[in-house]
Each structure stands twice: as C-alpha cells, then as structure tokens.
Amino acid sequence: IQLDFWLAPRGLGHPVDIRVPFPSLQPLKAHLESNGISYSIMIEDVQTLVDHEQMEMLRSRRGLPLSTNTFDYATYHNLDEIYTFMDLLVAENPNLVSKLEIGRSTENRPLYVLKFSKGGTNRPAIWIDTGIHSREWVTQASGVWFAKKIVQDHENDEGLAAILDKMDIFLEIVTNPDGFVFTQTQNRMWRKTRSKNSGSICIGVDPNRNWDAGFGGSGASGNPCSETYHGPYPNSEPEVKSIVDFVKSHGNIKAFISIHSYSQLLLYPYGYTTTPAPDQKELHEISEKAVAALSSLYGTSYEYGSIITTIYKASGGTIDWTYNQGIKYSFTFELRDTGRYGFLLPAKEIVPTAQETWLALKVIMQHTLDHPY
Amino acid sequence: DIDDVGHKYYLELVLEDVLDKDSTVNCTAEVLYHLGSKNVAPDVQFTLEGELKNTDEADNVFYNQIKSLEKELVAENIPDSHGNVSPEMEPIRRLAWVASGYVIWQNSTENTKFHLAQIKRVKQVKRSDEYLEFDYMVLLHEMVSQEIIPWQMTVLWHPQHGVQVTQDSRQPKHASE
C-alpha cells in the first residue's frame, strides 16, 4: 500500500512516523485499529505544506517579501513586487486597508488604489498619487513607504489618527504601470504612457498634459514624438480617465496631491494660465508650512509657488483639472533631487525622501481636516 | 534688457565642493543671452572670490590609474538604473559632468534647462601623447521640453592641462522607443 516511513520502526516503545497516500488511508486505519495500535495525525495534508513551501521558496528566490515587515523599503522594486506588497498590506490590515481597481491601462494592467479608512460611508477624502511619470522612480518607492507608514502610525500618531477618524486616504502607487514596466525592461528614461498614436510611429502620451484643463494649449506638445504630447483629446489615456471617473463618482475628495520628481518643489495651480487661482493666498500659506516641515528633517530645501511661475507653463495638467473641479487643496510635489542624479536617485535616498515628504503631506492633510468645505 | 543685443543677467553664486560641503567659494558672473540666438552660446564672464582647492593628488592618482590599465576603459550606464556609481567610475562621471557643462553652455538659451541625466557609454581612446581621451555618449535631460537628448562628446583630459571637449554632436532620439 506504498507506506512511506519517515521514522522507521526501531524497536519496542519507539514511535513510527508514516506518510500515507490517500487511497491507503482507510486500509491502514482499519489495520491499526483492529490490532489495537494507537495512532495520531501529525499532518493532515502533506501536499498543502509542500505547496506552501514551494511558494515561499519561489518568493524568496525572486526576492518577493513575505510580509510588509520584511519588505525592503530602501531599494527600488518592480511592478510585481509592488503589487504583491499591496496585497500583503491589505491582508495584514484588513480593517484599515482595502485595494480598489479603478481601471485598466492601455496594455491592460490593473490600476490599483489603496483605500485607508476607519469606516463611515463616502467620507471626505485625500487623494495621493505617485508614479504618473514612470521614470520618476523615487515617487513610486515613496508611495510604498507612505502606505506602510499610514498603517504603522494610524493609531499611535495623534495627527494621523485624527485625520483618519474623519477622512479616508486614497493612494495610487503605480499610476502608470505600462510606463513603469517599460522603464524596467527597455528604457529607464520613459516618461509617458504606452498608447499607440495613430499616424505616428511614436508611442505614448504625457499623462500630465492629458487632463481637461487648458487642454491643447501652449505648455504641451501636439507632436506624438514629444515627451509632453497631450494626446488626441482630454482623458484619452485610460490611466487618466480612470482617475477622472473615480474622482467624479466619489464626489467628496477634498485634497488631491500628485507626486513627481525631480526639482524639489511644492506647486499649486495653475500651470496653464498666469491668472492666479482664487485660493492662491491660502495655498501659498499651506505650501510655506508644508515646506518648512519637510526641511525640518534633513535640511532639504524646496521652493514653492504656482506651477506657471515656479516651473514652467504646462497645460492639461492634473491639479489644474482637480482644482477646477472644486478640490481646493490641489498640490503637486517634485521630489529630490535638483539634478545631480535626477531621475536616477540612489536607492539610499528613498527613505529619507519619503520621510521628509510625509511631513509635508501631513501638513496638507491636517489643514484639509481643519478647514472643511 | 539691452536693446538690439539681448538679455543680460547678473549673478551671485556660491560654489560648493561636492566632496566637502564646508568648502565654498563665492563667485559673481554675468551672462548675456544674444537676441534671436539660435546657434550662438551665451557670453559668460565670471570672477572667483577666492581659490579653488588644489586637486593635484587626486588628479595624479586618477591619471596613473587610467594610464596603467591594460585594456582601454569601457563602461555603460553610469549611474545605473538604481542610481549606483561604483567608486572607480566616480572620476569618469565627474569628468563627464564637467564636459557636459561645456556642451550645455554652448547649447543654452533662456528657455532651456539642461542636466546630465546619465552616461550611456564611455570608451577610452588610445593616444600616443600624454592626454587621456574618452568618447562619451551621454543623455542630457532638458527640463522645459522634458526631452532626453543623446549627445556624443569627445573629451580630452590632462592633470596639468585640464578638460577639453574636442568634438560633440547631438544624436537622434530613437523614435520607436
């Protein structure tokens, strides 16, 4: 009956361990019982254990983390690793974190958003996205760190606990997954989406010129081969449209923060026009406080102001659209550095960058909480 | 604004040693962007208020290291995708930084902002004289257009004679990427 002895018979008084194939289970039990030999079950199903071990081995060989506590935040990860991280985080904190799929990319990759919520229904919310420009790797890496930080601090940090008592946080870590995979496999400097442009061999649309705010104006390019190509029409890119749809149907987003690198700037609308935003004064004051908080950690210096006066004219940009939708606290960050490494920021700067940026984010979130509208 | 000539900028800068943050030198400069300039580099005048650190020792170490290589140096992707630069490649990278500074100056207007993004490839070229020669293919990132522009530079260096860019040319971007 093909018994597999794991501990062979040695003599009287010594136990015997046997792995029993399923068909032999009944006959063996009957035999032992009819001979008055007592037995106990040590492992119900060896196959389950083998399968689990196999999976764990594959994971550790491929560098996949087994928990968000063993995840290496100080290195850059690929898309699979980040998506695995998200699932782990949700599994470890099911009462706080859930994962939403808000759409699919051009190449049919799922677009995931993590929702951090202590309850309620459709609470006022804060939106944070990273990685909309795929080559800006410190941003996706910071997004991963923020996700873990929220989970770690949601009870013991007064400020964050107060925020989550009243508001939800939505975090889209890999906002442009097609571009991100392309930076890993083909071209580290890829910025745009990976959509095909009819009538051109050039690929991709700049997702930060594809929004319906001053769309197509100067501050974007009509040339598909350009890094700032605005696309054929607003929201042509599924990566953009899915956020637009989400924001509109949620209807209660009160702060929207889109994160880029590099240049060390904190920006508010507008980019497409020199007309000051009606809330310019308040946004400027918040920026001043947020930048002070950021600098307090490592002395990193940031400039701040409206997009058009601080960086350059840019039309069809994310936060111009969100601001015009009525999301007053709309900000864009440009993280480290100022050009020494640029997009190729050394991995050892990921955590310090995320830590200091988080302080600025908390200022914005706190202000949003304290000034409901 | 200078009528019929261009725009002049007066700058006060602080130069900081990358290797020693406390070592700084003040500098004043004047930059003149010529009107309607397409292929004319801006005029630059500058005055250093103090002295730059002496680098003879490091220069000689690097020079001898390269001179004593059995095969010509070849390297790619500096920094790599994760921002890493090996210690041996640091001087190669700094040399590219300086050389690309020249290329950037020659190609700057009031509407450009360039940074060296990456060295794609560097090949040492054998020479019969004392100079070191490197053929670089670098990527320049232009901030306003957000374009990544491949650029070839031929760079000469000598401990006593400094850096020279003897040839440089903008390369076509691969449209299919």
Side-chain angles (χ1 to χ4, degrees), chain B residues 54-71:
Chain B
N54 182 292
T55 57
D56 288 351
E57 200 189 314
D59 288 346
N60 288 323
V61 167
F62 172 59
Y63 184 74
N64 290 323
Q65 263 172 6
I66 303 294
K67 273 293 186 190
S68 62
L69 289 175
E70 279 174 17
K71 263 180 21 174

Side-chain angles (χ1 to χ4, degrees), chain B residues 2-144:
Chain B
I2 303 180
D3 284 347
D4 299 333
V5 178
H7 298 142
K8 197 174 214 186
Y9 294 81
Y10 297 86
L11 305 171
E12 286 173 20
L13 326 168
V14 179
L15 305 183
E16 181 187 272
D17 187 336
V18 159
L19 298 174
D20 177 9
K21 301 279 168 182
D22 295 327
S23 172
T24 63
V25 179
N26 290 337
C27 177
T28 57
E30 285 176 17
V31 179
L32 172 64
Y33 290 100
H34 296 276
L35 258 188
S37 64
K38 271 295 151 141
N39 300 309
V40 186
D43 288 346
V44 177
Q45 313 272 3
F46 71 93
T47 312
L48 283 178
E49 283 149 31
E51 271 178 24
L52 295 177
K53 209 165 67 170
N54 182 292
T55 57
D56 288 351
E57 200 189 314
D59 288 346
N60 288 323
V61 167
F62 172 59
Y63 184 74
N64 290 323
Q65 263 172 6
I66 303 294
K67 273 293 186 190
S68 62
L69 289 175
E70 279 174 17
K71 263 180 21 174
E72 282 75 47
L73 180 146
V74 175
E76 287 183 338
N77 292 334
I78 302 165
D80 67 14
S81 285
H82 294 220
N84 299 315
V85 180
S86 67
E88 313 83 66
M89 286 302 144
E90 272 292 355
I92 297 286
R93 177 163 180 254
R94 286 187 208 126
L95 183 61
W97 189 264
V98 174
S100 60
Y102 169 80
V103 171
I104 289 169
W105 165 37
Q106 293 297 299
N107 291 277
S108 285
T109 71
E110 282 167 287
N111 298 310
T112 60
K113 188 169 186 211
F114 287 98
H115 288 116
L116 173 63
Q118 191 183 38
I119 300 167
K120 277 313 275 180
R121 212 190 54 242
V122 55
K123 281 192 302 214
Q124 183 187 359
V125 178
K126 204 168 175 63
R127 285 184 76 89
S128 50
D129 63 17
E130 301 171 330
Y131 283 83
L132 299 184
E133 180 175 336
F134 298 95
D135 180 13
Y136 282 95
M137 180 66 73
V138 298
L139 297 179
L140 297 183
H141 173 225
E142 201 288 295
M143 194 67 80
V144 179

Side-chain angles (χ1 to χ4, degrees), chain A residues 112-156:
Chain A
Y112 290 132
V113 172
L114 291 178
K115 176 182 180 183
F116 299 85
S117 178
K118 288 207 234 177
T121 315
N122 199 237
R123 286 182 168 173
I126 294 155
W127 167 283
I128 301 169
D129 65 75
T130 52
I132 193 169
H133 284 144
S134 37
R135 63 190 180 199
E136 298 165 8
W137 279 17
V138 71
T139 71
Q140 298 95 333
S142 294
V144 167
W145 189 90
F146 298 150
K148 179 62 172 173
K149 183 68 169 165
I150 295 170
V151 157
Q152 278 175 332
D153 283 10
H154 76 279
E155 279 168 342
N156 55 55

Side-chain angles (χ1 to χ4, degrees), chain A residues 90-358:
Chain A
V90 170
E92 292 163 14
N93 305 278
N95 294 327
L96 179 68
V97 196
S98 54
K99 184 177 86 172
L100 314 171
E101 184 175 321
I102 61 168
R104 298 231 143 196
S105 68
T106 292
E107 292 175 346
N108 206 33
R109 293 187 173 86
L111 301 168
Y112 290 132
V113 172
L114 291 178
K115 176 182 180 183
F116 299 85
S117 178
K118 288 207 234 177
T121 315
N122 199 237
R123 286 182 168 173
I126 294 155
W127 167 283
I128 301 169
D129 65 75
T130 52
I132 193 169
H133 284 144
S134 37
R135 63 190 180 199
E136 298 165 8
W137 279 17
V138 71
T139 71
Q140 298 95 333
S142 294
V144 167
W145 189 90
F146 298 150
K148 179 62 172 173
K149 183 68 169 165
I150 295 170
V151 157
Q152 278 175 332
D153 283 10
H154 76 279
E155 279 168 342
N156 55 55
D157 179 274
E158 260 185 61
L160 184 63
I163 290 163
L164 283 168
D165 278 341
K166 296 278 184 349
M167 305 181 73
D168 294 340
I169 300 175
F170 291 100
L171 175 62
E172 185 173 9
I173 299 175
V174 189
T175 306
N176 178 6
D178 295 350
F180 190 55
V181 170
F182 201 74
T183 61
Q184 310 254 322
T185 56
Q186 302 271 29
N187 181 353
R188 175 64 178 81
M189 298 292 174
W190 190 261
R191 164 185 169 91
K192 302 188 286 182
T193 61
R194 291 294 301 166
S195 51
K196 294 201 182 6
N197 293 307
S198 79
S200 173
I201 51 168
C202 291
I203 305 240
V205 167
D206 184 343
N208 200 21
R209 300 289 186 281
N210 188 241
W211 301 72
D212 200 358
F215 178 86
S218 68
S221 170
N223 179 352
C225 299
S226 164
E227 295 281 28
T228 55
Y229 175 50
H230 49 59
Y233 51 86
N235 307 328
S236 62
E237 303 311 285
E239 295 82 357
V240 170
K241 177 122 195 342
S242 52
I243 302 175
V244 168
D245 290 345
F246 180 83
V247 167
K248 282 181 162 170
S249 74
H250 186 281
N252 208 16
I253 303 209
K254 297 299 178 188
F256 192 104
I257 302 150
S258 192
I259 302 187
H260 292 254
S261 75
Y262 59 92
S263 285
Q264 291 174 204
L265 306 169
L266 175 49
L267 307 166
Y268 50 80
Y270 287 112
Y272 73 92
T273 172
T274 51
T275 307
D279 301 289
Q280 155 117 330
K281 186 164 180 295
E282 187 184 0
L283 296 177
H284 199 78
E285 283 164 6
I286 297 170
S287 300
E288 187 176 11
K289 271 188 69 183
V291 161
L294 187 153
S295 300
S296 71
L297 197 56
Y298 297 110
T300 307
S301 63
Y302 264 60
E303 283 170 35
Y304 55 96
S306 70
I307 297 168
I308 197 168
T309 59
T310 314
I311 193 171
Y312 43 52
K313 186 170 188 188
S315 60
T318 309
I319 65 166
D320 286 358
W321 180 81
T322 59
Y323 184 77
N324 285 345
Q325 287 297 298
I327 302 176
K328 186 172 16 162
Y329 302 121
S330 289
F331 292 93
T332 281
F333 280 79
E334 291 279 357
L335 303 185
R336 293 193 193 181
D337 60 12
T338 53
R340 170 102 141 269
Y341 286 91
F343 301 121
L344 306 181
L345 195 71
K348 65 179 178 349
E349 294 205 41
I350 294 171
V351 173
T353 302
Q355 286 173 327
E356 66 191 11
T357 308
W358 183 244

